[in-house]
Amino acid sequence: MRFLSDNTASASTEIVDAIIAVNRGLEPAYGDDPWSKRLDQAFAAYFATEVRVFTVATGTAANSLALATVTPPYGAIFAHAEAHVVRDECSAPEFFSGGARIIVLPGAQAKVTVDALARALESNPATVHTVQPAALTLTQATECGTVYRIHEIAALAHLAHQHGLAVHMDGARFANAVATLGCHPADTTWRAGIDVLSFGATKNGALGAEAIVFFDLQRVADFELRRKRSGQLLSKSRYAAAQLLAYIESGLWRRNAERANALALRIGAAAADRLQNPVEANEVFMRLADEEKSALRAAGFEFYDWGAERSGQARFVVSWDQPDEDVSALCAALSRIVKAVNLR
Amino acid sequence: MRFLSDNTASASTEIVDAIIAVNRGLEPAYGDDPWSKRLDQAFAAYFATEVRVFTVATGTAANSLALATVTPPYGAIFAHAEAHVVRDECSAPEFFSGGARIIVLPGAQAKVTVDALARALESNPATVHTVQPAALTLTQATECGTVYRIHEIAALAHLAHQHGLAVHMDGARFANAVATLGCHPADTTWRAGIDVLSFGATKNGALGAEAIVFFDLQRVADFELRRKRSGQLLSKSRYAAAQLLAYIESGLWRRNAERANALALRIGAAAADRLQNPVEANEVFMRLADEEKSALRAAGFEFYDWGAERSGQARFVVSWDQPDEDVSALCAALSRIVKAVNLR
Amino acid sequence: MRFLSDNTASASTEIVDAIIAVNRGLEPAYGDDPWSKRLDQAFAAYFATEVRVFTVATGTAANSLALATVTPPYGAIFAHAEAHVVRDECSAPEFFSGGARIIVLPGAQAKVTVDALARALESNPATVHTVQPAALTLTQATECGTVYRIHEIAALAHLAHQHGLAVHMDGARFANAVATLGCHPADTTWRAGIDVLSFGATKNGALGAEAIVFFDLQRVADFELRRKRSGQLLSKSRYAAAQLLAYIESGLWRRNAERANALALRIGAAAADRLQNPVEANEVFMRLADEEKSALRAAGFEFYDWGAERSGQARFVVSWDQPDEDVSALCAALSRIVKAVNLR
Amino acid sequence: MRFLSDNTASASTEIVDAIIAVNRGLEPAYGDDPWSKRLDQAFAAYFATEVRVFTVATGTAANSLALATVTPPYGAIFAHAEAHVVRDECSAPEFFSGGARIIVLPGAQAKVTVDALARALESNPATVHTVQPAALTLTQATECGTVYRIHEIAALAHLAHQHGLAVHMDGARFANAVATLGCHPADTTWRAGIDVLSFGATKNGALGAEAIVFFDLQRVADFELRRKRSGQLLSKSRYAAAQLLAYIESGLWRRNAERANALALRIGAAAADRLQNPVEANEVFMRLADEEKSALRAAGFEFYDWGAERSGQARFVVSWDQPDEDVSALCAALSRIVKAVNLR
């Protein structure tokens, strides 16, 4: 039973059907097909504002291209120390930007705080000898399965904008966050000050479809050339576009996210004493002793150790298509195996 | 009727079926799924030699990552002036390699010749002041719809290797070339001296699946890190793997290529007096007067002008799924519209 | 007797004296010393217009930083095939620009022509798939010792500007060119449409001092950060500034250039039948048979073979401090050794 | 009276004399002059081991080129958070390396500790998703004016080498550190495990001369091409070489460092209660109240505030040519102005 990552999930039926539906005849390539051309409009409806939308192949590409578009090669990008761009993208932001610097920020539950950002801005003044503060990136939901509240984003974006920074959101699990907040997608993005969003669909039911959504239309500028030269302009663009349209227009994004979030809450409830972070999306982080981990693995559960080796955390990710019985089995196993000991 | 590009083609039924077949349950991500893990073996069988195979999202990425793996940032890449890496990839090779130089070579029918390469090597000596010759890239089939003969590749690779260059093949239309040559895939690649191949499936029936095939296993080295940091490591890797497996194992690659090639030959026969290049793959280049182009377009045919504006060429690309009636209509229109005048 | 390069020259007395004059006491670093702060004003007087001037360590850095400032990473730079940025800077333009492409142009005597530029612009249209034409670079005097006439530069700059290109001049031998033209430094730069100039002093009498002069002040933008991050912001900036001030304000630039040019003309006259190019600066290119080269070398003359190996050219560069007797000896040897045979 | 930086210093008489001594006649360029060719041998004698030595224009270039030579573009460089490469080089390491990541380490007095490095290595494992640990850089003397003991360097280098990292030393103030340690230059470099050194002479009496010293000769590999393409290969190389030879062979390096260190100790003694760090080189960091700073500045002393704005530190740097009376005046002023209050 796999709780390794929502990247292990399959694609939803709605997605496969959408692919099949557009799979006939000769259609213009490189974004000139009718479905790609409808993306701006469809996402404008989804976000209730004018946007520019571009598909790319991966979330790493989405993050790095978005950041490279708003950050000069001598710029600084502020990010939480646990962010995917910091931990899991093998210097992709540096590559795409031509050598920008990521400055990492501390913060509980993988959240950047206004205070941490303010301190970082103060200790990174812009002179000719230093990297130039250029962007703030926030992950929603975070790498620790928590969710920024709307007012938290607004406060961070406000401070960032005061200092001339662009604000990017890594929305690899955007749907999970919106489902938890119960808000409109606009509320946690442009209405709160987000300039550009990495909109992830792959983890939450697509076959392979990521998008970059620009709310600040001035920032698009040279984006398309950067996308092309990084090998991220898909030739048969209709298939990615069809996925994204089905994802946002059928409500699939919300259905899948709500299901995964609900299952994660069940697991969280079964390990309440051991939760490292509140369960606010589709991930559960808990403190487990080595023997407890071994017992769970012996019982057939796959999951990742998390954090520095001695921290003893385990991460369980619930996919949109996680079988109910996997979750029930995990809850039962946790009740059985995990002793009621406070490991903090 | 679209003859714009084989990127306008749809995906073959075999490909869609393969995607559906793997679309169940939770499977490891990032290349650890069973289908991705079988790629090396399947391509070893296809090429009759040990290989390392890696999927990427686009042909531009395949070319640039392959070249960046064998070229230092101060290296020189020799390429035909008409090559896709030169004309149509928006400086992707420079981006991925960290600033390597492409040195363009002349040559009829978009083919590099031994003589042109020898002259270029002679006039680009390696000193501390110069770019260091590092790679030769050949396009098979070429951007002009012609196909290198096996002995031509062997002679070029021999000269390149004598000078320490790696030899890359851009195989965006590899299947079309092999179908024309009637050879084993090995004959036009490693047996002729190719070190690394961009293996394209997208144009020829896949939904979206490109691969880099390393024949020189020593060259893989740091490839995987370069792929990751360029956002080309697909998370749900099973879908690309499934496409590639179906493509090479079902014979689809050859069937689709043979059909497109045959249709192209029919068009070529209908415009025999006007052919700019021999028809050796699925592309037909012909000289047309402006009024002839206008008449064809008025009759509903879509195609690109080619070459410098005043050269008067037109490019017709036949897709694997081009309707027979499109081709028949085009042949009839050419007979009707194109006057028997030698435009050369 | 060395005729290898004007990089073999020593520094003029005026330059050493200027260094000694500023070598006392503690002075602000990184361009805040009084001499560095006077550069803009001094060069404004020299060029009779407002400019921004920045020192760098080498001519390669000057060229590449200037080009990187006006060219995006996906941009194209048009340059003559013989230009120093093409032949002798080991992909520095690509490095500094983050992967821009140099597109080489043909042209007799190492000069770009309006026709060649026009054809290159036509065959390099700007689409999302292509590099974006961004800059034209001209070398004055050229790598073949010839000099662009003012109207030639003006016509090239006019065409370039019509297409939105910035125009850069590599002035490693700028003084030699101005001395030959007998014009005001403004005439061959901003008045003819040059936007940014690499102003070389090192070859012509400085100890080590190069500058970038921006005539288009809008183009400076992010230059200073690019200079810093490439390790080209000199800490003890007073010494470079003192050299440049002495060079332009004492008339040294013209005196040294006139002397070298005059000596080159003497050599040219002694080999009039064999001149490959007219002698218009301090370099003489002549066609010599192998046995003639050997005889000259046996007689103690050092010089470089030039061009592709079989072309049989020899390059003689006259330095500002070349002893008169070296030149007399060379003229005598040429008369003696070189047979009156037309080798073209 | 300037205590801003040792970059404000002039050049020693020995240095100017050495420049004048080589300033005659035509000499080969680009490192082929007799003085440049003697550098390897002279530094081998200085360091008592075989080395390769290369001159560059600035300390930033020395650091970044050295690091780029030992770090792939997807590599990680571990550095103290206060290091010059982190704080004062405007992302030069990222630029030269093609996008490597700097991972900052904490540590009192700007020193990396074995414990901090061990923790960083543990929390930065090398997978295909992460930057690959590649280099450790140590600053000797540190940015806080402290000096690593030989055993500290040895322990850090040992740990780094165990993990496959190269070890670089930023020796912008190398002479000051060796003078304080009273050791042989070998002791704090290759004998302690340093693989490559940025050897600074500019701050300590040269006019402008920095070198990169490779102790691990295997690491040189592609260095010379990287130097060339970054515009750091000086054409008139004799002048930098002459400075370096005079600097190490005349004992100037030690004389100048000892004088500056001794003066710094005098200042340290005058502010003993307020020292932020022990005075171990030519820099004095002290805690001063705002009104104390104002009073010192009103009395004519120039110095930088240091650290985050509210930390209240002041940095006084003593140059090799600092007038004795400046130091005496500063000591007197400190005694008069600074109240005996513990500000920690």
Side-chain angles (χ1 to χ4, degrees):
Chain A
M1 288 160 286
R2 292 205 166 96
F3 292 91
L4 291 166
S5 168
D6 31 14
N7 285 321
T8 66
S10 62
S12 289
T13 304
E14 292 89 334
I15 294 292
V16 176
D17 288 349
I19 288 173
I20 291 171
V22 301
N23 190 40
R24 17 154 225 208
L26 302 163
E27 293 290 350
Y30 293 121
D32 288 333
D33 63 273
W35 302 276
S36 297
K37 287 173 119 163
R38 199 159 65 73
L39 282 173
D40 282 354
Q41 180 190 333
F43 275 83
Y46 181 78
F47 281 112
T49 190
E50 192 181 358
V51 297
R52 293 295 311 279
V53 181
F54 302 93
T55 58
V56 293
T58 66
T60 293
N63 287 338
S64 292
L65 273 171
L67 290 169
T69 301
V70 298
T71 309
Y74 42 78
I77 300 162
F78 296 94
H80 192 279
E82 295 296 321
H84 203 264
V85 294
V86 175
R87 303 286 311 165
D88 292 296
E89 301 188 357
C90 192
S91 70
E94 287 88 343
F95 175 53
F96 281 79
S97 65
R101 169 88 48 91
I102 297 182
I103 294 178
V104 297
L105 305 179
Q109 299 175 5
K111 283 186 183 176
V112 175
T113 63
V114 166
D115 199 46
L117 177 60
R119 277 198 307 271
L121 286 166
E122 184 183 315
S123 61
N124 284 281
T127 77
V128 78
H129 301 285
T130 65
V131 286
Q132 310 290 299
L136 167 69
T137 176
L138 305 174
T139 310
Q140 179 78 313
T142 75
E143 290 299 310
C144 288
T146 54
V147 169
Y148 283 97
R149 298 305 176 265
I150 291 165
H151 69 88
E152 292 174 326
I153 294 171
L156 286 162
H158 181 70
L159 177 59
H161 287 156
Q162 279 184 316
H163 287 77
L165 276 61
V167 186
H168 166 254
M169 176 172 280
D170 176 355
R173 295 188 181 93
F174 180 73
N176 302 89
V178 174
T180 290
L181 293 172
C183 67
H184 190 281
D187 294 336
T188 185
T189 53
W190 65 274
R191 282 187 190 140
I194 300 299
D195 298 307
V196 54
L197 168 71
S198 297
F199 181 88
T202 306
K203 290 178 197 285
N204 191 40
L207 187 143
E210 303 285 314
I212 302 175
V213 181
F214 286 93
F215 300 108
D216 181 346
L217 307 184
Q218 307 306 316
R219 304 256 185 199
V220 178
D222 61 358
F223 169 81
E224 292 194 70
L225 296 159
R226 292 183 182 277
R227 177 172 64 160
K228 173 64 191 180
R229 79 194 293 253
S230 60
Q232 294 286 344
L233 175 59
L234 302 169
S235 58
K236 292 186 170 178
S237 43
R238 62 175 120 165
Y239 300 107
Q243 292 181 63
L244 288 168
L245 294 174
Y247 184 73
I248 63 170
E249 294 184 334
S250 76
L252 180 66
W253 67 278
R254 190 184 290 274
R255 286 195 301 281
N256 280 355
E258 285 177 345
R259 178 173 189 275
N261 287 1
L263 294 176
L265 280 173
R266 281 184 53 201
I267 299 170
D273 297 342
R274 298 298 189 79
L275 289 185
Q276 181 71 18
N277 308 306
V279 177
E280 298 179 347
N282 64 325
E283 299 186 285
V284 187
F285 293 78
M286 58 185 85
R287 295 176 297 280
L288 293 179
D290 284 350
E291 57 273 22
E292 294 168 341
K293 288 182 185 173
S294 299
L296 285 169
R297 284 176 172 135
F301 297 100
E302 296 180 57
F303 55 91
Y304 283 117
D305 295 325
W306 203 252
E309 278 177 42
R310 282 166 246 149
S311 74
Q313 286 186 56
R315 183 187 83 160
F316 295 81
V317 186
V318 183
S319 295
W320 73 269
D321 60 346
Q322 197 85 39
D324 275 312
E325 48 271 31
D326 286 13
V327 173
S328 297
L330 177 58
C331 292
L334 285 168
S335 303
R336 188 173 71 246
I337 290 167
V338 176
K339 306 294 175 294
V341 176
N342 190 336
L343 282 184
R344 190 183 294 272
Chain B
M1 289 159 284
R2 290 204 168 97
F3 293 91
L4 291 167
S5 168
D6 31 14
N7 284 320
T8 65
S10 62
S12 289
T13 305
E14 292 89 335
I15 294 293
V16 175
D17 288 349
I19 288 173
I20 292 171
V22 302
N23 190 38
R24 19 156 224 209
L26 301 163
E27 293 290 350
Y30 292 121
D32 288 332
D33 63 273
W35 302 277
S36 297
K37 287 172 119 166
R38 199 157 68 72
L39 283 172
D40 281 355
Q41 181 190 330
F43 274 83
Y46 180 78
F47 280 112
T49 190
E50 191 180 359
V51 298
R52 294 295 310 281
V53 180
F54 302 92
T55 57
V56 293
T58 66
T60 292
N63 287 339
S64 291
L65 273 170
L67 289 169
T69 302
V70 298
T71 309
Y74 43 77
I77 300 162
F78 296 95
H80 192 280
E82 294 297 321
H84 203 266
V85 294
V86 175
R87 302 287 310 166
D88 292 297
E89 301 188 355
C90 192
S91 72
E94 288 87 344
F95 175 53
F96 281 79
S97 65
R101 168 90 47 93
I102 296 183
I103 294 178
V104 297
L105 306 179
Q109 299 174 4
K111 283 185 181 178
V112 175
T113 63
V114 165
D115 200 47
L117 177 59
R119 277 198 306 271
L121 286 166
E122 185 184 314
S123 61
N124 284 281
T127 76
V128 78
H129 301 286
T130 64
V131 286
Q132 310 288 299
L136 168 68
T137 177
L138 305 173
T139 309
Q140 179 77 316
T142 74
E143 289 299 312
C144 289
T146 55
V147 169
Y148 283 97
R149 297 304 177 265
I150 292 165
H151 69 88
E152 291 174 326
I153 294 171
L156 286 162
H158 181 70
L159 177 59
H161 287 156
Q162 280 183 315
H163 286 78
L165 276 60
V167 186
H168 166 255
M169 177 173 279
D170 175 356
R173 296 188 181 94
F174 181 72
N176 302 87
V178 174
T180 289
L181 292 172
C183 68
H184 191 280
D187 294 336
T188 185
T189 54
W190 65 273
R191 284 188 189 139
I194 300 298
D195 298 306
V196 55
L197 168 71
S198 296
F199 181 89
T202 306
K203 290 178 197 288
N204 191 38
L207 188 144
E210 303 286 313
I212 301 175
V213 181
F214 286 93
F215 300 108
D216 181 346
L217 308 184
Q218 307 306 316
R219 303 255 185 200
V220 178
D222 60 358
F223 168 80
E224 292 193 69
L225 296 159
R226 291 182 183 277
R227 178 174 61 162
K228 174 64 191 181
R229 80 194 293 252
S230 59
Q232 293 286 346
L233 176 57
L234 302 169
S235 57
K236 293 187 168 177
S237 42
R238 63 172 118 166
Y239 299 106
Q243 291 180 64
L244 288 168
L245 293 174
Y247 183 73
I248 63 171
E249 294 185 334
S250 75
L252 180 67
W253 67 278
R254 190 184 289 275
R255 284 195 302 281
N256 280 355
E258 286 176 346
R259 179 172 189 277
N261 288 0
L263 294 176
L265 279 173
R266 280 183 55 199
I267 299 170
D273 297 342
R274 299 298 188 77
L275 290 186
Q276 179 72 18
N277 308 304
V279 176
E280 299 181 347
N282 63 325
E283 299 187 285
V284 187
F285 293 78
M286 58 185 85
R287 295 177 297 281
L288 293 179
D290 284 349
E291 57 274 22
E292 294 169 340
K293 289 182 185 175
S294 298
L296 285 168
R297 283 176 173 136
F301 299 99
E302 296 179 57
F303 55 91
Y304 283 117
D305 294 324
W306 203 252
E309 277 177 44
R310 283 167 246 148
S311 74
Q313 286 187 57
R315 184 187 82 159
F316 296 82
V317 186
V318 182
S319 295
W320 74 269
D321 60 347
Q322 197 85 39
D324 275 310
E325 48 272 33
D326 286 13
V327 173
S328 299
L330 177 57
C331 291
L334 285 167
S335 304
R336 190 174 66 246
I337 291 168
V338 176
K339 305 295 177 291
V341 177
N342 192 334
L343 282 184
R344 191 183 296 270
Chain C
M1 287 159 285
R2 292 204 166 98
F3 293 90
L4 292 167
S5 168
D6 31 13
N7 285 319
T8 65
S10 61
S12 289
T13 304
E14 291 89 334
I15 295 291
V16 175
D17 288 349
I19 288 173
I20 291 172
V22 302
N23 190 39
R24 15 154 227 209
L26 302 163
E27 292 290 349
Y30 293 121
D32 288 332
D33 63 272
W35 302 277
S36 297
K37 287 172 119 163
R38 199 157 67 72
L39 283 172
D40 281 355
Q41 181 189 332
F43 274 82
Y46 181 78
F47 280 112
T49 190
E50 192 182 356
V51 297
R52 294 296 310 281
V53 180
F54 302 92
T55 58
V56 294
T58 66
T60 293
N63 287 338
S64 292
L65 273 171
L67 290 169
T69 301
V70 298
T71 310
Y74 43 77
I77 299 162
F78 295 94
H80 192 279
E82 295 296 322
H84 203 266
V85 294
V86 175
R87 302 286 310 164
D88 292 296
E89 301 188 355
C90 192
S91 71
E94 288 88 343
F95 175 52
F96 281 80
S97 65
R101 168 91 46 92
I102 295 183
I103 295 178
V104 297
L105 305 179
Q109 300 175 4
K111 284 185 182 176
V112 175
T113 62
V114 165
D115 199 47
L117 177 60
R119 277 198 306 273
L121 286 166
E122 185 184 314
S123 61
N124 284 282
T127 76
V128 78
H129 302 284
T130 64
V131 286
Q132 310 290 299
L136 167 68
T137 176
L138 304 173
T139 310
Q140 178 79 317
T142 75
E143 289 300 309
C144 289
T146 54
V147 170
Y148 283 98
R149 297 305 176 266
I150 292 166
H151 69 88
E152 293 174 325
I153 295 171
L156 286 162
H158 181 69
L159 177 59
H161 287 157
Q162 280 184 314
H163 287 76
L165 278 61
V167 186
H168 166 253
M169 177 173 279
D170 175 356
R173 295 188 182 94
F174 180 73
N176 302 89
V178 174
T180 290
L181 293 172
C183 67
H184 190 281
D187 294 336
T188 185
T189 53
W190 66 273
R191 283 187 189 141
I194 299 299
D195 298 307
V196 55
L197 168 71
S198 296
F199 182 87
T202 306
K203 290 179 197 285
N204 191 39
L207 188 143
E210 303 285 313
I212 302 174
V213 181
F214 286 93
F215 299 108
D216 181 345
L217 308 184
Q218 307 306 315
R219 304 257 184 197
V220 178
D222 61 359
F223 169 81
E224 292 193 69
L225 296 159
R226 293 183 181 275
R227 178 172 64 161
K228 173 64 191 180
R229 79 193 294 251
S230 60
Q232 294 286 345
L233 175 58
L234 302 169
S235 57
K236 292 186 169 177
S237 42
R238 63 173 119 166
Y239 299 108
Q243 291 180 63
L244 288 168
L245 293 174
Y247 183 73
I248 62 170
E249 294 184 335
S250 75
L252 180 66
W253 68 277
R254 189 185 289 274
R255 284 195 302 280
N256 280 355
E258 286 176 345
R259 179 173 188 275
N261 287 0
L263 294 176
L265 278 173
R266 282 183 54 199
I267 299 170
D273 296 342
R274 299 297 189 79
L275 289 186
Q276 181 70 20
N277 308 305
V279 177
E280 299 180 347
N282 63 325
E283 300 186 286
V284 186
F285 292 78
M286 58 184 86
R287 296 176 297 280
L288 293 179
D290 284 350
E291 56 275 21
E292 294 168 340
K293 288 182 184 174
S294 299
L296 285 168
R297 283 175 173 137
F301 298 99
E302 297 179 59
F303 56 91
Y304 283 116
D305 294 325
W306 203 254
E309 277 178 42
R310 284 166 248 148
S311 74
Q313 287 186 56
R315 183 187 83 161
F316 296 81
V317 186
V318 183
S319 295
W320 73 269
D321 59 348
Q322 197 85 41
D324 275 310
E325 48 271 32
D326 286 11
V327 173
S328 297
L330 177 58
C331 291
L334 285 168
S335 303
R336 190 174 69 247
I337 291 167
V338 177
K339 304 295 176 295
V341 175
N342 191 335
L343 283 183
R344 192 182 297 271
Chain D
M1 288 159 286
R2 291 203 167 97
F3 292 91
L4 291 167
S5 167
D6 31 13
N7 284 321
T8 65
S10 61
S12 289
T13 304
E14 291 90 334
I15 294 293
V16 175
D17 288 349
I19 287 173
I20 292 171
V22 302
N23 190 39
R24 17 152 225 212
L26 302 163
E27 293 289 349
Y30 292 122
D32 288 332
D33 62 273
W35 302 276
S36 296
K37 288 172 119 165
R38 199 158 67 72
L39 283 172
D40 281 356
Q41 181 190 330
F43 274 83
Y46 180 79
F47 280 112
T49 190
E50 192 180 358
V51 298
R52 293 296 309 282
V53 181
F54 302 92
T55 58
V56 292
T58 66
T60 292
N63 287 338
S64 291
L65 273 171
L67 289 169
T69 301
V70 298
T71 308
Y74 43 77
I77 299 162
F78 295 95
H80 192 281
E82 295 296 323
H84 203 265
V85 294
V86 175
R87 302 286 311 166
D88 292 296
E89 301 187 355
C90 191
S91 71
E94 288 87 343
F95 175 53
F96 280 79
S97 65
R101 169 89 48 92
I102 296 182
I103 295 178
V104 297
L105 306 178
Q109 299 174 5
K111 283 184 182 178
V112 175
T113 63
V114 166
D115 200 46
L117 178 59
R119 277 199 306 271
L121 286 166
E122 186 184 312
S123 61
N124 284 282
T127 76
V128 77
H129 301 285
T130 64
V131 285
Q132 310 289 299
L136 168 67
T137 177
L138 305 173
T139 309
Q140 179 76 320
T142 74
E143 290 299 311
C144 288
T146 56
V147 170
Y148 283 98
R149 296 307 177 263
I150 292 165
H151 69 87
E152 291 174 325
I153 295 171
L156 286 162
H158 181 70
L159 177 59
H161 287 157
Q162 280 183 315
H163 287 77
L165 277 60
V167 186
H168 166 255
M169 177 173 279
D170 175 357
R173 294 189 182 94
F174 180 72
N176 302 89
V178 174
T180 290
L181 292 172
C183 68
H184 190 282
D187 293 336
T188 186
T189 54
W190 65 273
R191 284 189 188 138
I194 299 300
D195 298 307
V196 55
L197 168 71
S198 296
F199 181 88
T202 305
K203 289 179 197 287
N204 191 40
L207 188 142
E210 303 285 313
I212 302 175
V213 181
F214 285 93
F215 300 108
D216 182 345
L217 308 184
Q218 307 305 316
R219 304 255 185 200
V220 178
D222 60 358
F223 169 80
E224 292 193 70
L225 296 159
R226 292 184 183 276
R227 178 173 61 162
K228 173 65 192 181
R229 81 194 292 253
S230 60
Q232 294 286 344
L233 176 58
L234 302 170
S235 57
K236 293 187 170 177
S237 42
R238 62 173 119 167
Y239 300 107
Q243 291 181 63
L244 288 167
L245 293 174
Y247 183 73
I248 64 170
E249 294 185 335
S250 74
L252 180 66
W253 67 278
R254 190 183 289 276
R255 284 195 303 281
N256 279 355
E258 286 177 344
R259 178 172 190 276
N261 288 0
L263 294 177
L265 279 173
R266 281 183 55 199
I267 299 170
D273 297 343
R274 299 296 189 78
L275 290 185
Q276 180 71 18
N277 308 305
V279 177
E280 298 180 347
N282 63 324
E283 299 187 285
V284 186
F285 292 77
M286 58 184 85
R287 296 177 296 282
L288 293 179
D290 284 350
E291 57 273 22
E292 294 168 342
K293 288 182 184 174
S294 298
L296 285 168
R297 282 176 173 136
F301 298 99
E302 296 179 57
F303 55 92
Y304 282 117
D305 295 324
W306 203 253
E309 279 177 42
R310 284 168 246 146
S311 73
Q313 286 186 56
R315 183 187 83 159
F316 295 82
V317 186
V318 181
S319 295
W320 73 270
D321 60 346
Q322 197 85 38
D324 275 311
E325 49 270 32
D326 285 12
V327 174
S328 298
L330 177 58
C331 291
L334 285 168
S335 303
R336 191 173 67 244
I337 291 168
V338 177
K339 305 296 176 293
V341 176
N342 191 335
L343 282 184
R344 191 182 296 271

